[in-house]
Amino acid sequence: MENVNIMVDYLLTNKLVLTLLVLSVIMLLKRIVLAQIRGDVSFLSEEQRKWMSRTKNGAFAASLIILFLLWKSEISQFALSVTAIAIAIVVASKEIILCFTGSIQRASSRSFRMGDWIEVGKVCGEVIEHNMMATVIQEIDLQHGQYHYTGKTATLPNSLFFTHPIKNLNFMKRYVFHNFSIVVPRFVNLYPLLPTMYERMDAHFAHFIDVARRYNNMIEKHAGVDLPSAEPHIEITSAPAGEQIVHFMIFCPTDKANHLEQVIRQDFMQEYEKAFPPNPIAEPVIEV
């Protein structure tokens, strides 16, 4: 018992040793808990990511609280001694303060949560971790009309939330409004092709169109706005050089968007070739 009292007195006297010991215990517990959550799986689920993020944030918060309690008197003395240079410290730590307040702004506005697809500036991806300083996303190639992971991980400081709008793209994880265009160099009447194209697209969408309509209605009710219908849309415009541009907009499962685009392009080219066969090129006459 005396040895225990001596050890406690020693730790209370030497705060640095006690601090290192406490931080070591917290880090050890955090590693054990994270290992238990991760298990032996190769790919983390959304629920696992949530609990891992909560564990990291909890360990960080516990470390801050314990450090403050241990060094409270020293912190008070230090605060009094640096009153004269407080403004300089605030200016120097501006980015850190913005990151903390950006995290508070995100939490209060509930702009996104773990697993959501978001777009901040020109970066799009799925949120895999967020803490008081930064948000980590798994990048998704949405800028080029693709919906697959690029394999890149982007770390966004929370201060960006004050300078860039946060776009929550979570509904795009299942269904998406996919837009693409086909350029027709010849100026011909393309409108007779539209009924056939609508029939072909209806055939491609038959196995999921009912689910797409329900999902579209659910998004409308959740967002409170009037969205385009789940039916495919085709529009024809012309460019200054005389070529025609056929615009397609389809509402389809995100993982099938690119495949359906290729199928519809193939259908259009087949129908266009039937309606407007290419002119045979006259063979040159060779004089002997």
Side-chain angles (χ1 to χ4, degrees), residues 210-221:
D210 292 334
V211 179
R213 290 179 182 132
R214 291 196 297 270
Y215 194 72
N216 184 271
N217 292 332
M218 183 191 72
I219 297 171
E220 284 186 335
K221 292 179 181 178

Side-chain angles (χ1 to χ4, degrees), residues 10 25 29 42 44 74 82 171 174 180 199 223 225 240 255 263:
Y10 174 78
V25 172
L29 290 175
S42 301
L44 295 175
E74 287 79 1
V82 298
F171 80 92
R174 290 190 58 196
F180 61 95
E199 290 179 3
V225 295
D255 57 349
V263 172

Side-chain angles (χ1 to χ4, degrees), residues 240-287:
E243 65 270 17
Q244 297 186 91
I245 304 175
V246 186
H247 302 274
F248 294 86
M249 184 176 71
I250 58 176
F251 188 70
C252 62
T254 304
D255 57 349
K256 293 181 173 61
N258 291 301
H259 170 70
L260 289 171
E261 176 183 341
Q262 297 303 314
V263 172
I264 294 171
R265 284 180 181 273
Q266 182 180 5
D267 291 343
F268 179 82
M269 292 177 183
Q270 290 175 351
E271 295 301 322
Y272 178 82
E273 191 173 16
K274 290 179 183 177
F276 309 101
N279 294 326
I281 301 175
E283 296 183 358
V285 178
I286 303 176
E287 295 183 357

Side-chain angles (χ1 to χ4, degrees), residues 1-18 21 70:
M1 189 67 181
E2 292 181 0
N3 293 333
V4 174
N5 293 330
I6 294 173
M7 181 65 67
V8 172
D9 293 337
Y10 174 78
L11 292 176
L12 293 176
T13 307
N14 298 272
K15 292 184 179 180
L16 183 59
V17 177
L18 179 59
L21 179 61
L70 288 176

